[in-house]
Amino acid sequence: MDFKELTYVIAIAKHQNITRAADSLYLTQPTLSKFLQNLERELGVKLFRKLGNRFVLTYAGERYVAKATEILNLKKELEQELGDIRKNNAGSLKIAFPTMRGSYMLPCTLPIFNSLYPQVNLSILEAHSSLLEGMLLNGEADLAFFNLPIKSPDVDYEIISHEEVLLVLSADHPLASMAVPREGCKYPWMDLKLLENEAFILQIPGQRTRQTVDLLLKNSGISPNIKLETSNIPASAELASKGYGCCFITETHLKHIRFTGKLSCFSVGDPCTTVDFVAAFRRGSYIPYHAREYIKIVRDFT
């Protein structure tokens, strides 16, 4: 068994297709097919069963891929640790962001990091926030930045900042005048019970802000009239500014969205609602020096 063998099996499992897996590995399809046949013969078990053109993991294959992923992660962590020992600050770093946050954080943080650590090869991944934990666990990403909560006990984190979740209405919405000043609130405070008959624009269920909002509405006794579910955060806020419905967005996002309509923002909750923005990584994994430096740069930016 060698590391190349582990990588090949993981690629087949990921793509569920020999041809696509071979392309990703820069191999020919016959070469990869022969490799798999020889490996399964050597192991004495089938790692995949074929369903049409798809290669689906057997139970033995699932266990193989799980352990192969652990081994490759340990190999990478060893290489990173040795790189730190050599004090040359070289290596690689794979960073994952939710798409919206990456659009404004990457241009502000990557040039600074690159000027300090030009020998570090950066890979940037952007995905739906619900996918980021999985990317950490399977080794696709070394660091991921998103809002709590975290579901997996195998993911650890450092808190970067606290962000307020705000209610967004059009500036001329009839309820805008119902908000009141409240101690502990940066924005006028709105009683969510007033929105019981309003139309809502909500993020899709997998997004973390949506999970926070669902709990807010539940605690207020509201069964929301959901007019639209979308993962597009700027579109949600723009639609709210035009009176299409009300939505909830973190204050940080709002600072980086340009609007054609006018909007009003309100604190909600008891007395307001905040979420923790974190740098997440695999629990127990080695965090190289340059990765910790990138976390510091992101913290300074926020």
Side-chain angles (χ1 to χ4, degrees):
M1 180 183 295
D2 59 28
F3 296 121
K4 182 169 64 176
E5 170 187 305
L6 304 179
T7 302
Y8 288 0
V9 174
I10 289 173
I12 298 170
K14 177 180 178 180
H15 294 281
Q16 295 190 326
N17 179 278
I18 287 287
T19 300
R20 287 198 296 271
D23 288 343
S24 73
L25 296 166
Y26 302 101
L27 299 174
T28 64
Q29 183 270 331
T31 298
L32 189 57
S33 294
K34 186 174 181 180
F35 156 78
L36 181 59
Q37 292 171 4
N38 290 339
L39 176 62
E40 290 181 330
R41 185 184 309 113
E42 177 185 332
L43 296 175
V45 293
K46 285 286 186 181
L47 300 180
F48 297 89
R49 63 180 184 276
K50 195 171 181 183
L51 299 177
N53 292 325
R54 295 172 57 219
F55 281 71
V56 180
L57 288 169
T58 62
Y59 176 70
E62 290 176 356
R63 299 306 306 144
Y64 187 102
V65 167
K67 292 300 180 183
T69 301
E70 289 181 24
I71 291 168
L72 292 177
N73 284 338
L74 287 171
K75 174 179 179 288
K76 181 174 67 176
E77 290 169 12
L78 174 60
E79 291 170 347
Q80 291 172 334
E81 189 167 357
L82 292 176
D84 282 353
I85 293 171
R86 290 194 298 269
K87 302 290 186 182
N88 64 0
N89 291 325
S92 62
L93 181 61
K94 294 181 288 187
I95 306 169
F97 276 95
T99 305
M100 171 65 190
R101 197 177 291 272
S103 68
Y104 59 79
M105 293 201 75
L106 292 173
C108 296
T109 59
L110 292 191
I112 298 172
F113 182 82
N114 186 66
S115 69
L116 296 172
Y117 305 101
Q119 297 185 77
V120 176
N121 180 33
L122 282 174
S123 297
I124 304 302
L125 307 164
E126 293 182 276
H128 191 290
S129 60
S130 65
L131 303 176
L132 298 186
E133 285 187 55
M135 295 169 73
L136 289 172
L137 294 173
N138 65 23
E140 287 183 71
D142 303 311
L143 288 177
F145 294 86
F146 50 76
N147 287 336
L148 295 182
I150 284 176
K151 296 180 180 179
S152 173
D154 296 319
V155 174
D156 206 349
Y157 62 89
E158 293 181 13
I159 295 176
I160 301 293
S161 62
H162 307 289
E163 303 181 335
E164 185 170 358
V165 178
L166 300 173
L167 168 69
V168 176
L169 299 174
S170 64
D172 59 357
H173 194 288
L175 290 178
S177 61
M178 303 294 289
V180 296
R182 186 169 177 180
E183 185 177 353
C185 294
K186 180 178 177 181
Y187 297 83
W189 182 81
M190 178 75 72
D191 185 347
L192 285 177
K193 290 183 173 65
L194 297 173
L195 279 75
E196 187 171 8
N197 298 316
E198 296 297 313
F200 285 84
I201 306 164
L202 298 182
Q203 296 177 17
I204 61 178
Q207 290 178 275
R208 282 170 164 75
T209 299
R210 172 63 185 273
Q211 296 170 35
T212 300
V213 169
D214 283 346
L215 184 59
L216 263 175
L217 295 175
K218 180 180 178 182
N219 290 341
S220 298
I222 294 177
S223 297
N225 169 26
I226 302 175
K227 191 171 185 178
L228 176 68
E229 288 184 316
T230 176
S231 61
N232 190 320
I233 295 171
S236 298
E238 180 74 1
L239 286 167
S241 75
K242 294 180 180 297
Y244 189 80
C246 56
C247 72
F248 299 86
I249 299 180
T250 59
E251 183 181 20
T252 306
H253 285 336
L254 283 174
K255 293 177 181 177
H256 298 277
I257 301 175
R258 294 182 179 180
F259 299 96
T260 58
K262 294 182 178 180
L263 54 79
S264 296
C265 299
F266 306 93
S267 293
V268 291
D270 187 21
C272 62
T273 300
T274 59
V275 291
D276 292 326
F277 175 56
V278 303
F281 38 85
R282 290 185 304 279
R283 185 178 296 276
S285 65
Y286 177 75
I287 308 300
Y289 177 78
H290 52 262
R292 294 200 173 278
E293 289 298 288
Y294 186 73
I295 293 173
K296 290 180 183 178
I297 292 170
V298 172
R299 182 177 282 114
D300 289 342
F301 171 76
T302 54

